[in-house]
Each structure stands twice: as C-alpha cells, then as structure tokens.
C-alpha cells in the first residue's frame, strides 16, 4: 500500500504552507506531514552547511517517524544549498521548489529579463541564475535578497505601511531593470503576494513556485503509480518552536484548523 503513504514537506516556518495549500487543491486525497523549523528560522541568514544539516535532520525525523513516499523541500533556501545532498541520502524521491519555478518563469517571460527575489542564502548560492542560464543562455537574470520579507510574514505584518515601504525599497532596483517576470524565490513570499504585485505593477508576472511544485509532485507520484485516490487526506503538522503563530497563519491560509505538535530535534 505504498500509495497510502504521506507526502512529507519541510520549511523553516510557515512558508511551505503555501505549497500545502496547492497540494490540498490539486491532490486532496494525499496525506501530508509537514515540519516547520520555527525555533531555528530564518534559514536565509544562516551558513549553507547549517541549513543543510537542519534539513537533513528534519528529513531523518520524518523518515523515521512517518511513512513517507515523497519528500518536498518546501524551502528555497534549503533547496538551493543542498537538494542533491538530500537526494543522495534518502530512499524516497526528494523534490525541491527551485526547478519548477524556473521553468514556469521561462515559459512566462517574453523579454527574457527575469527577476528573482529570495533569502540572502538563496541569492548568494546563485542557484537561480545558474538554473535559468543553463536552460536559456540569452536570458538576463536580476537577483535581489529580501531578508525582511520572511520576518514580515512570520510576524503577520504584511498588511502594514512598513511592508509596502520595505517592498518598495527592495524592489526598486528590479523595477529599474525592466523585468517582465519575477520569481518569488522563497516559499514565504506568496503570503505577501498582494504587496509585491502592488509594488511591481501590472506589467510584471509573479511566479509562485508552489503551484508548479505541486504539479511536479503530481507528475512524480503518477509516474511511480503512487497517487492516493482517497477522498480527503490527513494533514499533520510539526514545529520545533511555539506552535501558536504557526497555527494561526496555517488556519487563515489553509481554511481549516491546524494543530501543530512541538518536537525537539
Ligand atoms: N521559506 C524559506 C525559503 O523558501 C526560508 C525562509 C527563511 O527561513 O529565511 O527560502
């Protein structure tokens, strides 16, 4: 009964819930187990080795305590610094959020002038420009780290004048480059998409990689005959810090009660 096993996801906090939302919509029968490493967030300000070892620890926890058929690294930072590393270490398929977003951006962009925003670690890794240029040498990629965005989202401050001011200041250099497509290269950013859309204006398409990663997950499961045809899957959530904020944001994003269990790794 391999198909009855769950899809595991990890992120530093609530960001990966944007992918849970897409999975619930696209694959409602799938069981989901999610780990938000809220005690150690933000990942984006940490060294790549530290993020890699946190992510590995979480995957080991999920593999040991839950029945996993697929693991999605629902965090761009952890994907950018270590996807191949995790793929080499675990027996189940491990998907990241970077490649699906890159492909979607290339499909959308007419001008081939593509912006990418993400955490400091993601932008420093150059994983996005490398992946885009490997597919299209003519593309021009403009990247900008936006470290405060994760804190605005985690602290539920996205509807404040400060959020708009910070976004204006981070995004001004990208607007100046005349991009037509902007990759939200952090799973937290779709939670402030309204702010980003208002600041960038109508001429720029925003790419939420969560939507494309959910499609990629469906393709992997379908190819392996592992799609779960149940009516409604179970959803379990674990956090490493205080669950309250996580549960609040989770409920408002997902539209159902989110109960998160605190786990010390
Ligand atoms: N949501 C994560 C990402 O996609 C990490 C944010 C953070 O903890 O800095 O990069």
């Amino acid at each position: 009964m391999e198909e009855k096993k769950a899809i595991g996801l990890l992120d530093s906090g609530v960001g990966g819930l944007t992918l849970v939302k897409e999975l619930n919509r696209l694959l409602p029968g799938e069981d989901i187990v999610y780990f938000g490493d809220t005690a150690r967030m933000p990942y984006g300000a940490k060294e790549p080795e530290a993020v890699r070892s946190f992510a590995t620890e979480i995957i080991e926890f999920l593999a040991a305590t839950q029945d996993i058929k697929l693991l999605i690294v629902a965090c761009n930072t952890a994907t950018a610094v270590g996807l191949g590393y995790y793929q080499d270490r675990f027996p189940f398929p491990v998907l990241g959020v970077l490649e699906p977003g890159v492909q979607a951006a290339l499909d959308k962009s007419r001008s081939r002038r593509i912006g990418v925003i993400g955490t400091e670690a993601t932008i420093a890794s150059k994983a996005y420009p490398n992946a885009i240029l490997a597919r299209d040498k003519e593309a021009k990629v403009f990247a900008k780290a936006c470290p405060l965005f994760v804190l605005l989202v985690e602290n539920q401050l996205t509807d404040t004048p400060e959020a708009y001011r910070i976004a204006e200041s981070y995004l001004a250099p990208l607007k100046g480059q005349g991009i037509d497509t902007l990759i939200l290269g952090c799973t937290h950013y779709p939670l402030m998409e309204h702010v980003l859309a208002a600041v960038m204006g109508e001429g720029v398409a925003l790419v939420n990689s969560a939507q494309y990663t959910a499609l990629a997950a469906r393709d992997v499961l379908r190819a392996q005959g592992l799609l779960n045809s149940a009516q409604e899957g179970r959803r379990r959530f674990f956090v490493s810090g205080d669950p309250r904020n996580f549960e609040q944001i989770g409920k408002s994003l997902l539209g159902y009660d989110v109960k998160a269990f605190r786990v010390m790794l």
Side-chain angles (χ1 to χ4, degrees):
M1 295 304 262
E2 196 71 4
E3 72 274 10
K4 298 281 175 221
K5 292 184 174 181
I7 302 175
L9 294 99
L10 73 92
D11 181 44
S12 63
V14 295
L17 295 177
T18 56
L19 180 50
V20 172
K21 183 176 175 186
E22 299 303 329
L23 289 170
N24 288 167
R25 219 194 319 248
L26 190 69
L27 303 170
E30 296 294 341
D31 286 358
I32 303 279
V33 289
Y34 183 98
F35 196 105
D37 198 3
T38 49
R40 298 189 290 202
M41 65 88 54
Y43 279 3
K46 304 225 163 37
E47 291 301 318
E49 296 72 30
V51 174
R52 225 168 10 240
S53 84
F54 295 161
T56 306
E57 214 174 4
I58 294 168
I59 304 173
E60 278 166 358
F61 164 78
L62 292 175
T65 64
Q66 312 293 316
D67 262 343
I68 301 288
K69 61 182 173 185
L70 168 69
L71 189 287
I72 310 181
V73 184
C75 170
N76 288 261
T77 310
T79 300
V81 302
L83 184 64
Y85 181 89
Y86 323 125
Q87 284 171 333
D88 288 345
R89 271 163 188 74
F90 295 96
F92 37 75
V94 179
L95 262 186
V97 281
L98 195 139
E99 295 284 334
V102 163
Q103 195 48 57
L106 286 169
D107 291 346
K108 276 183 203 282
S109 175
R110 295 267 158 96
S111 68
R112 322 312 275 165
R113 297 176 74 80
I114 298 173
V116 181
I117 52 175
T119 66
E120 288 154 296
T122 297
I123 299 304
S125 76
K126 299 207 177 347
Y128 271 102
N130 291 343
I132 293 170
L133 295 171
R135 288 178 163 80
D136 181 354
K137 279 206 241 355
E138 305 300 313
K140 295 273 174 290
V141 185
F142 304 93
K144 179 85 177 88
C146 304
L148 290 176
F149 284 174
V150 167
L151 301 177
L152 292 173
V153 168
E154 288 281 343
N155 293 290
Q156 305 188 60
L157 293 170
T158 56
D159 289 316
T160 59
E162 288 73 25
Y164 285 85
R165 270 206 295 276
I166 292 167
E168 285 283 1
S169 125
Y170 278 153
L171 301 177
L174 296 179
K175 286 171 85 173
Q177 294 294 347
I179 57 169
D180 72 348
T181 305
L182 177 63
I183 302 178
L184 311 187
C186 172
T187 50
H188 280 73
Y189 297 175
L191 283 155
M192 56 183 290
E193 195 163 351
H194 55 297
V195 179
L196 305 175
V199 172
M200 291 310 292
E202 274 180 7
V204 178
L206 304 185
V207 175
N208 170 0
S209 7
Q211 289 161 355
Y212 304 97
T213 307
L215 292 168
R218 184 188 59 186
D219 292 347
V220 169
L221 293 177
R222 186 182 280 155
Q224 305 202 358
L226 292 179
L227 283 172
N228 190 339
S229 55
Q231 280 291 64
E232 194 179 340
R234 287 177 57 198
R235 289 105 194 212
R236 275 161 289 168
F237 301 91
F238 300 97
V239 286
S240 54
D242 188 335
R244 277 171 298 185
N245 194 48
F246 181 93
E247 290 174 343
Q248 258 178 32
I249 300 178
K251 183 174 182 181
S252 90
L253 177 69
L254 299 174
Y256 50 80
D257 275 330
V258 169
K259 172 94 192 100
F261 298 93
R262 188 169 187 171
V263 174
M264 305 288 186
L265 289 180

